Amino acid sequence: MDEPIRVLVAKPGLDGHDRGAKVVAAALRDAGMEVIYGGLHQTPDAIVQMAVQEDVDVVGLSILSGAHMTLFPKVKELLDAAGAENVLLTGGGIISPDDMAGLEKLGVGKLFGPGSRLADLVDYIRAEVGQRRTAAGSA
Amino acid sequence: MRTVDPSSGGKTAPRSAKFVTWQEAFGAAKQREAPFETVSCEPVPPLVTQDDVADLDAENEIGLPGQFPFTRGPYASMYRTRLWTMRQFAGFGTAADTNARYKYLLERGQDGLSVAFDLPTLMGYDADHEHSLGEVGRCGVAISSLQDMETLFDGIPLGEVTTSMTINSPAAIIWAMYLVTAQKQGWKLDQLGGTTQNDILKEYIAQKEYIFPPEPSMRLVVDTMEYAAKHVPRWHPVSISGYHIREAGSTAVQELAFTLADGFAYVEACLERGMDVDAFAPRLSHFFNSHVDFFEEIAKFRAARRIYAKRMRDKYGAKKERSMTLRFHTQTAGCSLTAQQPYNNLVRTAWEALAGVLGGTQSLHTNSMDETYALPTENAVKLALRTQQLIAYESGVANTIDPLAGSWFVEDLTNKMERGAEEIFAQIDEMGGVVAAIEKGWFQREIARSAYQFQREVEAGRQVIVGVNKFVEEGEDDTIELLEISMDKENEQVERVKKLRAERSAPKVEEALARIRKDAEGGVNLMPAFMQASEAYATLGEMTDVLRDVFGTYRETPTF
C-alpha cells in the first residue's frame, strides 16, 4: 500500500461539463494520489488504452449527459477485455439511484452524485484499492 | 474589539458620534460562528450606511428606468407593462416527444419555447454517428435534419410564439433549419422572433461544446448577426451567456466580467466586418445565472446594465438607446441544487427566481427540483413554472420598478460589482483580449480555481449547504418520481435518419453541400447556403462535416 494510488479521471462521450471532473482531480491529487486527467470528449477505447498505458488503479468517469448507461458498461467491458478487470471503475454525474444500482450489478463501483463529499470519495478509493491490492498480492 | 469591515465602502471620512456608538455596540456583541461571506467567498459587511455610498452620483449612476445608464432597468415601465417571459428550457428524446412537452407547457400558461438539444446535435453529429452512441435524445432533443425540426414544431405557429434555442457551435445551421420550418408553415422571416444562444466564446471558456477553432467560429457568429440584421429583424442572433461560466464554478463577479467581455468581443468582430453598431447591437441579448446569494445576484444584474450602457455608448459609439440597454434572460442555478433532500430545491429555486425578478430580468427559467438526478418530470416542471407564477401574481414584487434601488447595501454592492468587473476587463486587455486569454487557458484556470476553492469551503463547513453539510439526514433520502427516457429512442432516431438519407434527392444534397464548401472557403455569409441545404434535407452532420473539413477542429490542452 506504499505505492501512491494512480487514478485516471476522464470525460467520455460528448459532454463538456468538466467542473466535477476537475474538482475531483484536484482533490485526489491533494490527497496524495497520482492523477492523470484525460481531458474532454474521449471515446471508451481511448480511455481504456490510456488506463492500461498509465497502469492506473482507478478509472473515474464523469458523465452529466445522461449517456451513463451506455458509456460505463462499454468502458467496463473494454477494461475486462484488456485484462484490467482489477482496475476500479468509479465516477459520478447526473445519475438516478436506479441507474447507479444497475451499473453496480455490472461490476461498476460506487457512483457519486451532486452534493457528494470529496472526503468520502477519497476514503472510498483508498479502501477499494487497498482491498484489491491485498487480494492481488495474496493470489 | 472587532472592527467593522472597512471594505464596505472604502470610506475613511469621519463618522458620526451615533455611528461610533453603533460600532462599539456591534464590537461588543457576540457574533455567530459564521464566515459572513457570499457564495462567491466575498466578505460581507454587517452594515452599510449612507456614508458608505456618499460618493455615489445617484442621478447619473442610478438614474431612472429606461434612461442611461439603465441601472434601474431597460424600460421605463418594466413589469407594469409586461411581466417577464416565463420560458422553461425543455427537450428530450425524439422531436415528437419534445413537441408533446411544448404543447403541455403552452397549455399551462408558458409564454415562449426554449429548446434543449441533445449532445450529438450540440456537437454537430447525426444520431447515427459513432460518437453519438448512448447520447441520442438523452440531455435534450435529437435534431438531425429539417425533418426533425418540422416535427418539433408541428402544430405550433412559429409566427406567434418566440423560440429560444440553446445551440452554439452549429447554431447557424440549426437556425437555418428553424427559419426554413417557419417558412414552410407560411410565415415570413420578418415575422419571426426568438433567440439563438450562439455564444461560442463561453464554450471555450466554460461549457466546452466547441467544434471549430475560435476564429472560424467567430465568423459563423458574425454571419448570423449580419443575416439577422438584414432579414430577421425581430431575432436575437446571440445570447451572451454567463450562465455556463457560473455553473462551471466562477464567482459572481467573474461571471459578470467574463460574460460582458465576450459580448464586447462580438461587438468588435462586427465592427471589424464594417457593420454599424446601431444596426446589430439592438438585437444583442444576455443570459445570466441566478445563484443562491440573493443580494449579490441582484447587484450583479444591476451592475451589468450600467457597465454595458457606458461601454456601448462611450467605447463603441452607440447612438440608439436600444444599443446601450442590456436585456437578459435568467436561469436559476442548477449547481446550487442538491441530490440530498430534493424538495429543498423548490425553495432555493424560488428565491433565486425572485432575485432575477428584483434584478429586472426579461425572461426566466426556473429549474426543477429533480434535476440533480435526471431531466425533469412533467410534474416537477409544472411546479417550477408555478413558482414563477406565484412570484408574478401573489408576491407583489412586480408592482414597483427596481424596488431595491437606494438601499445603501444594494447600491454599494452594485458599485463593487462594477469595480470588480473593470479590474477583470483590464486583465483581459493586458492578455490581448478574450480569444488570446482563451488560448492561454486563463479563463479555464480561473474558473477551476474558484470551483475548487468553493468545494473546499463546503468540505470545511464554511459554506453551508442544507442537507449536504448541515441538517444532514442519515439513511434514505426522500424518494421522488424521476423521468425515464427509453433506450429505444436512440434506435428510433437512428432509423429515421437512415430512412431520410435513402428517400431524399441525392443530387440536390450534393449541390447544396458543395455550395457550403464554396461559401465557407470564399468568406461569403453562410446563412443562405445553410438554408438551401436544410431545404434539401441535408443533415446537420453532413453540413458540419463540410465545415470541419474547411475550418478544422479545436482541442483544448487538458489541465485541472
Side-chain angles (χ1 to χ4, degrees):
Chain A
M1 196 64 209
D2 296 321
E3 289 269 303
I5 296 173
R6 289 174 64 78
V7 187
L8 170 63
V9 175
K11 290 280 305 173
L14 300 174
D15 175 29
H17 295 85
D18 58 3
R19 174 178 183 168
K22 286 181 166 186
V23 166
V24 165
L28 299 181
R29 175 200 61 204
D30 290 354
M33 299 182 198
E34 287 179 1
V35 179
I36 300 122
Y37 174 51
L40 294 168
H41 307 146
Q42 298 295 314
T43 61
D45 275 315
I47 289 168
V48 170
Q49 273 182 31
M50 218 182 306
V52 171
Q53 271 167 18
E54 296 284 348
D55 193 22
V56 298
D57 302 285
V58 183
V59 173
L61 304 182
S62 166
I63 306 175
L64 287 81
S65 69
H68 48 270
M69 294 309 280
T70 304
L71 294 170
F72 272 105
K74 186 81 192 161
V75 171
K76 179 67 189 151
E77 179 195 315
L78 292 171
L79 279 172
D80 290 352
E85 58 281 316
N86 206 31
V87 169
L88 168 65
L89 177 60
T90 175
I94 302 294
I95 303 172
S96 72
D98 283 353
D99 286 352
M100 285 188 186
L103 290 170
E104 208 168 319
K105 283 199 188 114
L106 299 176
V108 175
K110 190 170 159 54
L111 300 178
F112 296 83
S116 300
R117 292 171 61 94
L118 296 173
D120 292 344
L121 204 84
V122 169
D123 291 347
Y124 169 73
I125 288 177
R126 281 194 181 130
E128 275 290 319
V129 172
Q131 275 177 22
R132 283 166 199 240
R133 283 183 177 177
T134 312
S138 62
Chain B
M1 195 190 88
R2 279 172 181 270
T3 53
V4 177
D5 175 10
S7 69
S8 64
K11 292 291 292 175
T12 51
R15 296 287 198 168
S16 69
K18 283 184 177 174
F19 183 84
V20 172
T21 308
W22 170 78
Q23 203 169 27
E24 284 167 8
F26 178 79
K30 189 174 182 309
Q31 292 196 34
R32 281 189 289 124
E33 274 306 316
F36 299 110
E37 56 183 37
T38 69
V39 76
S40 301
C41 306
E42 289 290 333
V44 181
L47 183 78
V48 180
T49 71
Q50 195 166 10
D51 284 346
D52 294 311
V53 287
D55 284 349
L56 180 64
D57 175 355
E59 198 182 320
N60 291 311
E61 294 288 309
I62 304 173
L64 291 165
Q67 293 179 20
F68 189 88
F70 307 99
T71 311
R72 304 203 61 183
Y75 305 116
S77 59
M78 293 297 287
Y79 304 139
R80 290 292 282 242
T81 294
R82 208 175 143 267
L83 290 164
W84 62 93
T85 303
M86 300 181 192
R87 195 192 291 280
Q88 297 293 96
F89 182 48
F92 61 92
T94 62
D97 297 326
T98 301
N99 176 265
R101 175 66 69 92
Y102 289 164
K103 288 176 175 163
Y104 175 92
L105 287 165
L106 291 170
E107 281 159 16
R108 276 155 192 78
Q110 170 163 294
D111 307 307
L113 299 173
S114 176
V115 188
F117 295 97
D118 70 358
L119 270 165
T121 309
L122 294 171
M123 296 297 288
Y125 293 115
D126 293 336
D128 58 347
H129 192 279
E130 57 171 336
H131 286 163
S132 303
L133 183 71
E135 311 262 21
V136 178
R138 302 218 70 87
C139 72
V141 60
I143 301 293
S144 306
S145 74
L146 178 68
Q147 186 186 46
D148 297 328
M149 195 65 94
E150 289 172 299
T151 306
L152 185 65
F153 295 109
D154 183 45
I156 299 171
L158 294 183
E160 291 170 14
V161 293
T162 58
T163 306
S164 169
M165 289 185 278
T166 297
I167 188 81
N168 293 284
S169 279
I173 297 171
I174 290 290
W175 187 41
M177 289 182 186
Y178 182 88
L179 296 178
V180 173
T181 301
Q183 284 176 325
K184 290 181 87 167
Q185 282 189 359
W187 304 100
K188 296 203 165 58
L189 293 183
D190 62 8
Q191 292 176 298
L192 303 176
T195 307
T196 30
Q197 191 168 84
N198 200 19
D199 170 9
I200 195 64
L201 292 172
K202 66 94 174 56
E203 294 298 333
Y204 303 108
I205 291 174
Q207 191 172 235
K208 314 290 175 75
E209 280 147 18
Y210 40 70
I211 303 173
F212 320 112
E215 201 181 312
S217 293
M218 285 295 277
R219 175 250 172 120
L220 285 171
V221 174
V222 179
D223 279 359
T224 59
M225 291 174 79
E226 190 177 49
Y227 193 82
K230 284 187 189 152
H231 305 287
V232 203
R234 292 179 56 220
W235 199 267
H236 297 101
V238 185
S239 170
I240 303 149
S241 303
Y243 185 79
H244 320 80
I245 291 171
R246 192 67 181 280
E247 290 289 302
S250 84
T251 63
V253 72
Q254 285 173 333
E255 177 196 354
L256 174 65
F258 295 178
T259 309
L260 292 178
D262 285 354
F264 298 137
Y266 297 123
V267 170
E268 287 170 18
C270 284
L271 294 175
E272 273 167 35
R273 195 177 279 194
M275 294 165 72
D276 171 19
V277 67
D278 287 316
F280 65 84
R283 303 312 297 171
L284 288 175
S285 65
H286 287 74
F287 171 22
F288 291 109
N289 196 301
S290 191
H291 212 296
V292 291
D293 203 294
F294 192 68
F295 292 108
E296 185 173 54
E297 294 304 280
I298 294 166
K300 179 185 77 184
F301 301 132
R302 298 175 81 248
R305 281 191 294 266
R306 187 156 79 203
I307 298 167
Y308 188 75
K310 289 179 183 172
R311 287 234 162 183
M312 291 304 288
R313 186 187 71 178
D314 301 339
K315 184 165 180 190
Y316 299 114
K319 300 274 186 298
K320 283 188 192 165
E321 284 219 325
R322 209 181 145 83
S323 304
M324 306 171 203
T325 54
L326 179 143
R327 294 163 304 275
F328 68 98
H329 172 69
T330 303
Q331 181 170 340
T332 58
C335 63
S336 71
L337 304 185
T338 61
Q340 296 91 334
Q341 304 177 27
Y343 289 100
N344 295 348
N345 295 334
L346 278 169
V347 186
R348 292 187 180 101
T349 298
W351 86 70
E352 291 169 1
L354 184 60
V357 170
L358 291 173
T361 194
Q362 277 57 64
S363 60
L364 181 60
H365 167 102
T366 32
N367 291 323
S368 300
M369 64 169 189
D370 54 354
E371 294 191 67
T372 53
Y373 288 115
L375 293 190
T377 61
E378 272 189 0
N379 196 38
V381 172
K382 188 171 76 177
L383 279 169
L385 176 60
R386 293 285 182 253
T387 304
Q388 295 198 38
Q389 291 164 338
L390 287 162
I391 292 171
Y393 295 99
E394 294 189 15
S395 75
V397 297
N399 294 337
T400 302
I401 302 164
D402 190 28
L404 292 173
S407 149
W408 297 316
F409 173 50
V410 171
E411 295 300 353
D412 184 43
L413 203 50
T414 305
N415 291 345
K416 280 182 187 163
M417 280 284 167
E418 183 175 5
R419 283 199 300 270
E422 292 290 349
E423 280 166 26
I424 294 174
F425 294 152
Q427 280 178 282
I428 295 170
D429 286 347
E430 247 172 62
M431 277 179 285
V434 171
V435 171
I438 286 169
E439 284 166 350
K440 289 187 173 87
W442 181 78
F443 292 107
Q444 299 91 316
R445 278 195 307 277
E446 288 287 299
I447 292 170
R449 187 181 306 146
S450 298
Y452 191 39
Q453 184 190 353
F454 175 77
Q455 190 58 38
R456 278 181 309 187
E457 296 229 341
V458 172
E459 300 279 315
R462 279 171 58 82
Q463 289 277 355
V464 172
I465 304 178
V466 170
V468 171
N469 61 2
K470 208 174 179 82
F471 312 111
V472 176
E473 286 176 30
E474 296 301 333
E476 290 292 296
D477 278 314
D478 303 322
T479 50
I480 52 170
E481 172 205 10
L482 294 176
L483 180 77
E484 280 181 44
I485 301 166
S486 158
M487 298 296 273
D488 299 340
K489 295 292 176 190
E490 181 157 321
N491 298 333
E492 213 178 285
Q493 181 64 15
V494 167
E495 288 312 312
R496 197 171 142 93
V497 179
K498 285 185 174 159
K499 187 157 174 280
L500 174 81
R501 285 212 186 87
E503 287 174 358
R504 65 189 184 181
S505 156
K508 276 191 180 170
V509 171
E510 287 311 312
E511 188 195 321
L513 293 175
R515 179 177 174 195
I516 291 176
R517 179 177 297 276
K518 187 168 138 277
D519 288 357
E521 287 168 346
V524 176
N525 189 312
L526 277 157
M527 282 306 299
F530 292 147
M531 287 175 73
Q532 182 188 335
S534 299
E535 265 181 288
Y537 291 96
T539 64
L540 169 67
E542 290 162 346
M543 290 191 243
T544 313
D545 278 345
V546 174
L547 299 182
R548 283 189 182 96
D549 203 39
V550 177
F551 294 156
T553 55
Y554 182 80
R555 288 201 77 83
E556 71 166 16
T557 312
T559 53
F560 65 92

